């Protein structure tokens, strides 16, 4: 019921600005807590369901196209608003030229009109701006990565590609969308004073564990070589005849007397 009342409110709230129908819709970042809602080169937008379902005379719901205008700043907003009543030349206002100077924008296709009806969505529907990393010069309207630290503004527009080839219906401009700031390596302070207490404790523990591991490794390598000659015992193998005892004896021709013997010379 609430969805029908919302649709009725939208139907009676259309207004015409410079020949284009403007719907009361402000694009914004998806409220769902999705990973990477805003990154350094992308962001996820809510889909404009139930706002672009009015019937046009120039094209059918399967032909009318919903596009997203991505403007770099307020200057680019003003430029688009000045030419939106003309036939849009996507080759001039291409993705490749969008960020070469401050006052530029580009358009990228989101889908056809029939994709934004008032049916209750069964899944989370978002449009991720900047998700196409394969952009080339042959695809001027590709949804390419956005420049780091960019401050962007976006709006949804409905274009009649059959007859007028102009913007027929548009949303309002979004609030400025600031991408995640990217720090340069030179701007990162690596001083010891900038480190947290937990980081210091972890660093000290890892250093001590590394030193202990290194000491244990050195000990395990050196210790076997230090005790290689210790604990050796001479082992006598038993014979098949049992213990063999050999008497000690001395031969007379090599025996040296232990005491001297005096010999009397008979001639003296």
């Amino acid at each position: 019921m609430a969805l029908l009342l919302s649709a009725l409110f939208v139907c009676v709230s259309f207004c015409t600005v410079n020949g284009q129908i403007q719907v009361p819709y402000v694009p914004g970042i998806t409220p769902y807590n999705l990973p990477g809602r805003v990154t350094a080169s992308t962001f996820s937008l809510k889909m404009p369901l139930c706002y672009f379902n009015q019937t046009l005379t120039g094209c059918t719901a399967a032909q009318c196209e919903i596009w997203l205008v991505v403007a770099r700043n307020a200057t680019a907003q003003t430029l688009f608003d000045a030419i939106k009543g003309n036939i849009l030349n996507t080759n001039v206002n291409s993705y490749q030229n969008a960020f070469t100077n401050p006052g530029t924008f580009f358009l990228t296709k989101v889908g056809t009109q029939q994709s934004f009806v008032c049916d209750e969505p069964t899944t989370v529907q978002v449009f991720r701006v900047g998700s196409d990393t394969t952009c080339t010069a042959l695809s001027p309207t590709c949804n390419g990565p956005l420049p780091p630290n960019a401050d962007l503004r976006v709006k949804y527009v409905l274009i009649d590609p059959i007859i007028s080839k102009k913007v027929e219906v548009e949303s309002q401009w979004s609030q400025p969308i600031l991408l995640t700031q990217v720090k340069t390596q030179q701007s990162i302070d690596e001083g010891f004073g900038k480190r947290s207490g937990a980081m210091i404790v972890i660093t000290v523990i890892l250093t001590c564990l590394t030193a202990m591991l290194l000491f244990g490794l050195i000990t395990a390598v050196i210790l076997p070589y230090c005790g290689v000659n210790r604990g050796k015992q001479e082992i006598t193998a038993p014979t098949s005849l049992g213990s063999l005892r050999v008497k000690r004896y001395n031969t007379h021709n090599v025996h040296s007397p232990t005491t001297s013997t005096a010999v009397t010379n008979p001639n003296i």
Side-chain angles (χ1 to χ4, degrees), residues 97-221:
N97 299 328
F99 306 106
T100 55
N101 61 74
T104 51
F105 63 89
F106 74 97
L107 292 93
T108 186
K109 186 176 178 180
V110 181
T112 58
Q113 186 183 16
Q114 64 183 1
S115 303
F116 300 91
V117 295
C118 292
D119 293 340
E120 187 70 26
T122 57
T123 59
V124 176
Q125 297 186 26
V126 298
F127 181 70
R128 192 170 185 81
V129 185
S131 61
D132 187 0
T133 59
T134 61
C135 289
T136 65
L138 299 178
S139 54
T141 61
C142 66
N143 182 25
L146 305 171
N149 305 329
D151 183 5
L152 305 169
R153 295 152 178 83
V154 298
K155 73 158 45 179
Y156 288 106
V157 296
L158 187 150
I159 297 176
D160 175 9
I162 305 300
I163 298 179
S164 69
K165 300 181 181 179
K166 301 177 182 178
V167 174
E168 299 292 342
V169 185
E170 63 177 354
S171 71
Q172 301 178 33
W173 284 103
S174 70
Q175 296 297 318
I177 299 174
L178 183 62
L179 299 181
T180 301
Q181 297 291 313
V182 178
K183 292 184 178 181
T184 61
Q185 185 176 3
Q186 293 75 14
S187 65
I188 299 176
D189 190 353
E190 298 180 349
F192 191 79
K194 296 297 183 180
R195 301 179 183 179
S196 65
M199 183 178 179
I200 295 174
V201 171
I202 293 174
T203 303
V204 171
I205 292 175
L206 291 177
T207 303
C208 294
L209 291 176
T210 302
M212 293 173 62
L213 180 62
L214 183 61
F215 177 77
L217 180 62
I218 294 174
T219 303
V221 172

